[in-house]
Amino acid sequence: MALEKIDVSKIMANYGFHEVNEFQLISQGLNDTYLVSIKNDNQFILRVYRPKWRNVNEINFELELLMHLQRKGFSLSTPISKKDGTLINEVIVNGINRIAVLFTFVQGEPFLVNEENSYLFGRKVAQFHTLTEDFQSKYDRFDIDLEHLIDRPLITIKPFLKQRPSDWIYLKTLGEKLKEQVLKLSLNHLDWGICHGDLGNGNVHFYQKNLTFFDFDCCGVGWRGYDIAVYRWDTKKSGEPNSEEDKIWEAFLKGYKEIKHLRAIDLNIVPLFVSIRQLWWMGLHMSNGDVWGLDWINDDYFDRTIQFLREWESNYLV
Protein backbone atom coordinates (compact mmCIF):
# COMPACT_ATOMS: atom_id res chain seq x y z
CA MET A 1 0.00 0.00 0.00
CA ALA A 2 1.32 3.43 -0.95
CA LEU A 3 1.82 6.32 1.44
CA GLU A 4 -0.87 8.98 1.68
CA LYS A 5 -0.06 12.67 1.44
CA ILE A 6 -0.56 13.05 5.19
CA ASP A 7 2.11 10.41 5.79
CA VAL A 8 4.59 12.15 3.50
CA SER A 9 3.81 15.55 5.03
CA LYS A 10 4.51 14.22 8.54
CA ILE A 11 7.85 12.82 7.40
CA MET A 12 8.85 16.01 5.59
CA ALA A 13 7.97 18.07 8.67
CA ASN A 14 10.79 16.26 10.49
CA TYR A 15 13.15 18.11 8.15
CA GLY A 16 11.46 21.48 8.54
CA PHE A 17 9.55 21.22 5.25
CA HIS A 18 5.89 21.98 5.89
CA GLU A 19 4.52 22.32 2.38
CA VAL A 20 4.47 19.25 0.14
CA ASN A 21 3.39 20.37 -3.30
CA GLU A 22 3.44 16.98 -4.93
CA PHE A 23 4.57 13.42 -4.36
CA GLN A 24 4.42 10.30 -6.48
CA LEU A 25 5.44 6.68 -6.20
CA ILE A 26 8.03 6.33 -8.97
CA SER A 27 9.28 2.82 -8.21
CA GLN A 28 7.95 -0.14 -6.27
CA GLY A 29 10.89 -2.48 -6.43
CA LEU A 30 12.93 -3.90 -3.62
CA ASN A 31 11.81 -0.80 -1.72
CA ASP A 32 9.23 1.92 -2.43
CA THR A 33 10.65 5.10 -3.91
CA TYR A 34 8.78 8.42 -3.95
CA LEU A 35 9.60 11.69 -5.68
CA VAL A 36 8.65 14.51 -3.32
CA SER A 37 8.39 18.14 -4.41
CA ILE A 38 8.12 21.07 -2.01
CA LYS A 39 7.85 24.80 -2.57
CA ASN A 40 10.37 26.45 -4.91
CA ASP A 41 10.31 23.19 -6.91
CA ASN A 42 12.89 21.53 -4.66
CA GLN A 43 12.81 17.77 -5.14
CA PHE A 44 13.82 14.86 -2.94
CA ILE A 45 13.75 11.10 -3.03
CA LEU A 46 11.95 9.34 -0.20
CA ARG A 47 12.74 5.65 0.15
CA VAL A 48 10.51 3.44 2.25
CA TYR A 49 12.34 0.20 3.03
CA ARG A 50 10.61 -3.16 3.02
CA PRO A 51 10.85 -4.71 6.51
CA LYS A 52 11.60 -8.24 5.31
CA TRP A 53 14.23 -7.03 2.87
CA ARG A 54 16.53 -4.92 5.05
CA ASN A 55 16.75 -4.65 8.83
CA VAL A 56 17.67 -1.49 10.70
CA ASN A 57 21.34 -2.47 11.14
CA GLU A 58 21.73 -3.14 7.42
CA ILE A 59 20.08 0.20 6.61
CA ASN A 60 22.35 2.05 9.03
CA PHE A 61 25.40 0.41 7.40
CA GLU A 62 24.26 1.69 4.01
CA LEU A 63 23.67 5.20 5.35
CA GLU A 64 27.08 5.30 7.05
CA LEU A 65 28.69 4.25 3.78
CA LEU A 66 26.96 7.04 1.88
CA MET A 67 28.03 9.65 4.41
CA HIS A 68 31.60 8.33 4.24
CA LEU A 69 31.63 8.74 0.47
CA GLN A 70 30.11 12.21 0.72
CA ARG A 71 32.88 13.32 3.08
CA LYS A 72 35.40 12.03 0.54
CA GLY A 73 33.85 14.17 -2.22
CA PHE A 74 32.29 11.29 -4.19
CA SER A 75 29.27 12.28 -6.27
CA LEU A 76 26.19 10.40 -5.08
CA SER A 77 22.70 10.70 -3.67
CA THR A 78 23.04 11.11 0.10
CA PRO A 79 20.68 10.80 3.06
CA ILE A 80 19.42 14.04 4.56
CA SER A 81 19.48 14.65 8.31
CA LYS A 82 16.31 15.53 10.15
CA LYS A 83 16.12 18.56 12.44
CA ASP A 84 17.24 16.36 15.34
CA GLY A 85 20.32 15.21 13.40
CA THR A 86 19.14 11.64 12.80
CA LEU A 87 18.50 10.01 9.42
CA ILE A 88 15.76 7.43 9.97
CA ASN A 89 11.98 7.91 10.08
CA GLU A 90 9.48 5.33 11.20
CA VAL A 91 6.18 5.14 9.36
CA ILE A 92 3.26 2.73 9.54
CA VAL A 93 2.13 1.43 6.15
CA ASN A 94 -0.90 -0.86 6.12
CA GLY A 95 -0.33 -1.63 9.78
CA ILE A 96 3.34 -2.51 9.29
CA ASN A 97 6.21 -0.47 10.74
CA ARG A 98 8.62 0.58 8.03
CA ILE A 99 11.73 2.74 7.84
CA ALA A 100 11.83 5.78 5.57
CA VAL A 101 14.88 7.84 4.62
CA LEU A 102 15.00 11.09 2.64
CA PHE A 103 17.71 11.38 -0.02
CA THR A 104 19.00 14.14 -2.25
CA PHE A 105 17.55 14.16 -5.74
CA VAL A 106 19.96 13.29 -8.56
CA GLN A 107 19.47 15.15 -11.80
CA GLY A 108 20.08 13.55 -15.17
CA GLU A 109 19.30 10.26 -16.86
CA PRO A 110 20.86 6.78 -17.06
CA PHE A 111 23.86 7.14 -19.31
CA LEU A 112 23.86 5.88 -22.85
CA VAL A 113 25.93 2.69 -22.92
CA ASN A 114 28.76 3.33 -25.36
CA GLU A 115 32.55 3.27 -25.26
CA GLU A 116 32.98 6.88 -24.16
CA ASN A 117 30.52 6.66 -21.27
CA SER A 118 31.69 3.20 -20.22
CA TYR A 119 35.24 4.55 -19.94
CA LEU A 120 33.98 7.32 -17.64
CA PHE A 121 31.94 4.84 -15.66
CA GLY A 122 34.96 2.57 -15.21
CA ARG A 123 36.90 5.48 -13.72
CA LYS A 124 34.01 6.26 -11.38
CA VAL A 125 33.69 2.67 -10.18
CA ALA A 126 37.42 2.50 -9.49
CA GLN A 127 37.18 5.75 -7.54
CA PHE A 128 34.34 4.27 -5.49
CA HIS A 129 36.36 1.15 -4.71
CA THR A 130 39.39 3.24 -3.75
CA LEU A 131 37.51 5.63 -1.48
CA THR A 132 35.88 2.79 0.47
CA GLU A 133 39.13 1.00 1.31
CA ASP A 134 39.18 2.59 4.76
CA PHE A 135 35.45 2.42 5.47
CA GLN A 136 34.40 0.80 8.72
CA SER A 137 30.96 0.56 10.28
CA LYS A 138 29.68 -0.41 13.70
CA TYR A 139 26.64 -1.94 12.01
CA ASP A 140 26.36 -5.42 10.54
CA ARG A 141 25.79 -5.94 6.83
CA PHE A 142 25.64 -9.12 4.77
CA ASP A 143 28.64 -10.41 2.81
CA ILE A 144 28.27 -10.77 -0.94
CA ASP A 145 29.68 -14.28 -0.80
CA LEU A 146 28.86 -17.63 -2.40
CA GLU A 147 25.98 -18.30 -0.02
CA HIS A 148 24.45 -14.92 -0.91
CA LEU A 149 25.09 -15.25 -4.65
CA ILE A 150 24.54 -18.96 -5.34
CA ASP A 151 23.20 -21.06 -2.46
CA ARG A 152 20.20 -18.98 -1.45
CA PRO A 153 19.14 -18.10 -5.02
CA LEU A 154 19.16 -21.78 -6.00
CA ILE A 155 16.98 -22.67 -3.00
CA THR A 156 14.52 -20.01 -4.15
CA ILE A 157 14.57 -21.08 -7.80
CA LYS A 158 14.11 -24.83 -7.24
CA PRO A 159 10.32 -24.89 -6.60
CA PHE A 160 9.68 -22.98 -9.83
CA LEU A 161 11.32 -25.66 -11.94
CA LYS A 162 9.26 -28.67 -10.87
CA GLN A 163 7.93 -28.97 -14.41
CA ARG A 164 11.40 -28.45 -15.91
CA PRO A 165 13.56 -31.02 -14.07
CA SER A 166 16.35 -31.02 -16.67
CA ASP A 167 16.73 -27.25 -16.29
CA TRP A 168 16.87 -27.58 -12.51
CA ILE A 169 19.59 -30.21 -12.80
CA TYR A 170 21.50 -27.89 -15.14
CA LEU A 171 21.25 -24.92 -12.75
CA LYS A 172 22.18 -27.01 -9.71
CA THR A 173 25.15 -28.53 -11.52
CA LEU A 174 26.25 -25.14 -12.84
CA GLY A 175 26.01 -23.62 -9.36
CA GLU A 176 28.19 -26.38 -7.93
CA LYS A 177 30.69 -25.95 -10.77
CA LEU A 178 30.86 -22.19 -10.27
CA LYS A 179 31.41 -22.56 -6.52
CA GLU A 180 34.12 -25.13 -7.09
CA GLN A 181 35.95 -22.91 -9.58
CA VAL A 182 35.80 -19.87 -7.30
CA LEU A 183 37.01 -21.88 -4.30
CA LYS A 184 39.97 -23.18 -6.32
CA LEU A 185 41.34 -19.65 -6.38
CA SER A 186 43.43 -18.14 -3.62
CA LEU A 187 40.51 -16.25 -2.11
CA ASN A 188 42.81 -14.36 0.23
CA HIS A 189 44.43 -12.81 -2.84
CA LEU A 190 41.19 -11.58 -4.39
CA ASP A 191 40.25 -7.93 -3.90
CA TRP A 192 37.65 -8.00 -1.11
CA GLY A 193 35.91 -4.87 0.12
CA ILE A 194 32.89 -2.62 -0.18
CA CYS A 195 30.82 -3.32 -3.29
CA HIS A 196 27.87 -1.41 -4.70
CA GLY A 197 26.30 -4.69 -5.74
CA ASP A 198 24.23 -3.35 -8.65
CA LEU A 199 26.54 -1.38 -10.92
CA GLY A 200 24.41 -0.93 -14.00
CA ASN A 201 23.72 2.30 -15.83
CA GLY A 202 20.24 2.35 -14.27
CA ASN A 203 21.74 3.27 -10.89
CA VAL A 204 23.87 6.11 -12.19
CA HIS A 205 22.70 9.41 -13.64
CA PHE A 206 24.65 11.36 -16.24
CA TYR A 207 24.26 15.13 -16.04
CA GLN A 208 26.51 17.82 -17.51
CA LYS A 209 29.25 15.22 -18.14
CA ASN A 210 29.20 14.10 -14.50
CA LEU A 211 28.22 10.67 -13.20
CA THR A 212 26.34 10.48 -9.91
CA PHE A 213 25.67 7.19 -8.11
CA PHE A 214 22.51 6.28 -6.21
CA ASP A 215 20.61 3.26 -4.90
CA PHE A 216 23.13 1.42 -2.72
CA ASP A 217 20.45 -0.98 -1.47
CA CYS A 218 22.44 -4.01 -2.73
CA CYS A 219 25.75 -2.84 -1.27
CA GLY A 220 27.77 -5.09 0.98
CA VAL A 221 31.22 -6.52 1.52
CA GLY A 222 32.35 -8.81 -1.26
CA TRP A 223 34.67 -9.46 -4.16
CA ARG A 224 35.42 -6.42 -6.30
CA GLY A 225 35.64 -8.82 -9.26
CA TYR A 226 31.93 -9.47 -8.79
CA ASP A 227 31.18 -5.75 -8.58
CA ILE A 228 32.75 -5.03 -11.96
CA ALA A 229 31.32 -8.24 -13.44
CA VAL A 230 27.85 -6.81 -12.87
CA TYR A 231 28.57 -4.20 -15.53
CA ARG A 232 29.81 -6.84 -17.95
CA TRP A 233 26.58 -8.79 -17.34
CA ASP A 234 24.43 -5.66 -17.55
CA THR A 235 25.77 -4.75 -21.00
CA LYS A 236 25.38 -8.22 -22.53
CA LYS A 237 22.25 -8.90 -24.56
CA SER A 238 23.06 -12.60 -24.76
CA GLY A 239 25.78 -15.05 -23.82
CA GLU A 240 27.17 -15.02 -27.34
CA PRO A 241 30.33 -13.07 -28.28
CA ASN A 242 29.67 -9.59 -29.63
CA SER A 243 32.43 -7.24 -30.78
CA GLU A 244 30.54 -4.05 -29.88
CA GLU A 245 29.82 -5.31 -26.36
CA ASP A 246 33.47 -6.31 -26.03
CA LYS A 247 34.54 -2.76 -26.95
CA ILE A 248 32.23 -1.36 -24.28
CA TRP A 249 33.75 -3.71 -21.72
CA GLU A 250 37.30 -2.86 -22.73
CA ALA A 251 36.51 0.86 -22.44
CA PHE A 252 35.17 0.29 -18.92
CA LEU A 253 38.31 -1.63 -17.95
CA LYS A 254 40.56 1.05 -19.44
CA GLY A 255 38.90 3.70 -17.29
CA TYR A 256 38.98 1.52 -14.20
CA LYS A 257 42.68 0.68 -14.54
CA GLU A 258 43.61 4.35 -14.86
CA ILE A 259 42.36 4.92 -11.31
CA LYS A 260 42.86 1.59 -9.53
CA HIS A 261 45.17 -1.32 -10.17
CA LEU A 262 43.23 -4.36 -11.37
CA ARG A 263 45.14 -7.55 -10.80
CA ALA A 264 44.93 -10.43 -13.26
CA ILE A 265 43.30 -12.72 -10.68
CA ASP A 266 40.44 -10.23 -10.16
CA LEU A 267 39.95 -9.75 -13.89
CA ASN A 268 40.14 -13.43 -14.75
CA ILE A 269 37.35 -14.30 -12.34
CA VAL A 270 34.88 -11.94 -14.04
CA PRO A 271 33.45 -14.59 -16.42
CA LEU A 272 32.57 -16.78 -13.43
CA PHE A 273 30.90 -13.88 -11.69
CA VAL A 274 28.81 -13.05 -14.77
CA SER A 275 27.17 -16.48 -14.54
CA ILE A 276 26.85 -16.10 -10.79
CA ARG A 277 25.19 -12.72 -11.25
CA GLN A 278 22.61 -14.28 -13.57
CA LEU A 279 21.77 -16.91 -10.93
CA TRP A 280 21.46 -14.27 -8.21
CA TRP A 281 19.25 -12.12 -10.45
CA MET A 282 16.90 -15.04 -11.15
CA GLY A 283 16.64 -15.80 -7.44
CA LEU A 284 15.92 -12.14 -6.74
CA HIS A 285 12.91 -12.20 -9.07
CA MET A 286 11.39 -15.26 -7.45
CA SER A 287 12.06 -14.18 -3.87
CA ASN A 288 10.15 -10.94 -4.41
CA GLY A 289 6.98 -12.30 -5.93
CA ASP A 290 4.94 -10.56 -3.24
CA VAL A 291 5.92 -7.23 -4.83
CA TRP A 292 6.38 -7.94 -8.53
CA GLY A 293 4.02 -10.86 -8.92
CA LEU A 294 4.89 -14.27 -10.33
CA ASP A 295 2.79 -14.52 -13.50
CA TRP A 296 5.75 -13.44 -15.60
CA ILE A 297 7.99 -16.17 -14.15
CA ASN A 298 6.92 -18.58 -16.88
CA ASP A 299 8.42 -20.83 -19.55
CA ASP A 300 9.41 -17.87 -21.68
CA TYR A 301 11.27 -16.37 -18.72
CA PHE A 302 13.22 -19.57 -18.06
CA ASP A 303 13.89 -20.12 -21.76
CA ARG A 304 15.57 -16.71 -21.94
CA THR A 305 17.45 -16.71 -18.65
CA ILE A 306 18.76 -20.26 -18.89
CA GLN A 307 19.70 -19.79 -22.53
CA PHE A 308 21.94 -16.90 -21.45
CA LEU A 309 23.65 -19.16 -18.91
CA ARG A 310 24.17 -21.97 -21.42
CA GLU A 311 25.55 -19.59 -24.04
CA TRP A 312 27.84 -17.82 -21.58
CA GLU A 313 29.14 -21.11 -20.22
CA SER A 314 29.82 -22.39 -23.71
CA ASN A 315 31.59 -19.24 -24.90
CA TYR A 316 33.30 -17.81 -21.81
CA LEU A 317 33.75 -20.52 -19.19
CA VAL A 318 36.47 -23.03 -19.93
Side-chain angles (χ1 to χ4, degrees):
M1 179 179 289
L3 294 181
E4 301 290 339
K5 186 171 183 178
I6 188 172
D7 300 315
V8 177
S9 296
K10 286 180 180 179
I11 292 172
M12 297 302 289
N14 293 331
Y15 301 87
F17 302 129
H18 298 285
E19 294 183 28
V20 175
N21 289 348
E22 184 180 359
F23 78 100
Q24 62 182 110
L25 179 64
I26 59 174
S27 174
Q28 193 167 33
L30 301 176
N31 301 292
D32 298 339
T33 303
Y34 295 83
L35 177 63
V36 182
S37 301
I38 62 172
K39 61 181 180 179
N40 300 324
D41 295 325
N42 288 324
Q43 294 181 309
F44 303 91
I45 292 295
L46 179 66
R47 176 190 286 171
V48 182
Y49 289 83
R50 289 175 54 207
K52 293 182 180 180
W53 179 245
R54 298 286 180 249
N55 62 44
V56 66
N57 277 324
E58 291 170 338
I59 294 169
N60 274 313
F61 179 102
E62 176 192 344
L63 301 180
E64 276 198 342
L65 173 61
L66 300 181
M67 301 302 287
H68 171 88
L69 287 165
Q70 182 187 42
R71 289 192 295 270
K72 297 258 184 166
F74 190 76
S75 179
L76 77 165
S77 173
T78 53
I80 298 171
S81 297
K82 297 185 294 183
K83 289 186 294 182
D84 64 5
T86 62
L87 299 172
I88 284 178
N89 303 273
E90 293 185 1
V91 59
I92 298 177
V93 184
N94 199 26
I96 299 174
N97 290 323
R98 297 177 65 176
I99 291 175
V101 177
L102 192 67
F103 292 87
T104 56
F105 176 76
V106 175
Q107 296 190 67
E109 300 290 341
F111 65 83
L112 179 65
V113 177
N114 56 31
E115 290 180 58
E116 179 182 0
N117 291 336
S118 294
Y119 164 78
L120 296 175
F121 188 46
R123 290 177 60 88
K124 196 74 176 180
V125 171
Q127 184 187 13
F128 161 68
H129 285 165
T130 300
L131 294 179
T132 54
E133 292 287 356
D134 62 345
F135 173 72
Q136 293 182 335
S137 176
K138 60 186 177 183
Y139 299 104
D140 293 329
R141 184 81 175 183
F142 53 84
D143 286 345
I144 305 177
D145 55 12
L146 295 178
E147 179 184 2
H148 179 87
L149 295 170
I150 297 178
D151 294 342
R152 278 183 273 173
L154 284 175
I155 290 172
T156 303
I157 294 168
K158 183 179 180 180
F160 292 86
L161 289 173
K162 288 181 180 179
Q163 306 304 317
R164 300 175 65 129
S166 62
D167 284 331
W168 165 245
I169 291 172
Y170 170 71
L171 291 185
K172 183 175 182 295
T173 302
L174 177 63
E176 292 170 351
K177 183 188 300 184
L178 292 168
K179 285 180 64 175
E180 181 182 347
Q181 291 179 346
V182 171
L183 292 172
K184 280 182 180 178
L185 299 169
S186 300
L187 296 185
N188 291 335
H189 295 152
L190 290 171
D191 190 4
W192 176 268
I194 295 295
C195 296
H196 181 281
D198 200 13
L199 286 172
N201 73 318
N203 286 330
V204 182
H205 272 183
F206 194 57
Y207 181 71
Q208 295 182 346
K209 297 185 178 181
N210 291 316
L211 291 168
T212 302
F213 280 31
F214 58 91
D215 193 357
F216 283 70
D217 182 61
C218 290
C219 75
V221 184
W223 293 292
R224 262 58 181 276
Y226 170 75
D227 221 20
I228 65 174
V230 171
Y231 188 64
R232 177 61 160 158
W233 169 86
D234 193 58
T235 55
K236 287 291 296 179
K237 293 183 174 63
S238 75
E240 297 289 351
N242 181 292
S243 60
E244 292 304 313
E245 292 169 348
D246 290 345
K247 290 177 182 177
I248 286 168
W249 174 237
E250 290 300 324
F252 172 88
L253 291 177
K254 182 176 186 294
Y256 189 96
K257 292 175 181 178
E258 287 182 357
I259 301 298
K260 188 178 189 299
H261 177 62
L262 182 60
R263 294 172 301 180
I265 189 172
D266 295 301
L267 180 58
N268 292 339
I269 201 173
V270 165
L272 292 176
F273 279 136
V274 169
S275 290
I276 290 171
R277 170 67 175 190
Q278 179 81 349
L279 284 176
W280 175 87
W281 182 69
M282 293 169 67
L284 180 75
H285 290 161
M286 279 154 262
S287 65
N288 287 279
D290 58 325
V291 179
W292 299 324
L294 294 171
D295 291 345
W296 59 289
I297 307 295
N298 50 30
D299 284 335
D300 180 63
Y301 171 89
F302 285 114
D303 288 344
R304 288 183 288 103
T305 54
I306 295 175
Q307 180 182 354
F308 177 92
L309 285 166
R310 291 184 184 276
E311 290 174 348
W312 184 266
E313 182 183 18
S314 175
N315 291 297
Y316 293 97
L317 301 185
V318 293

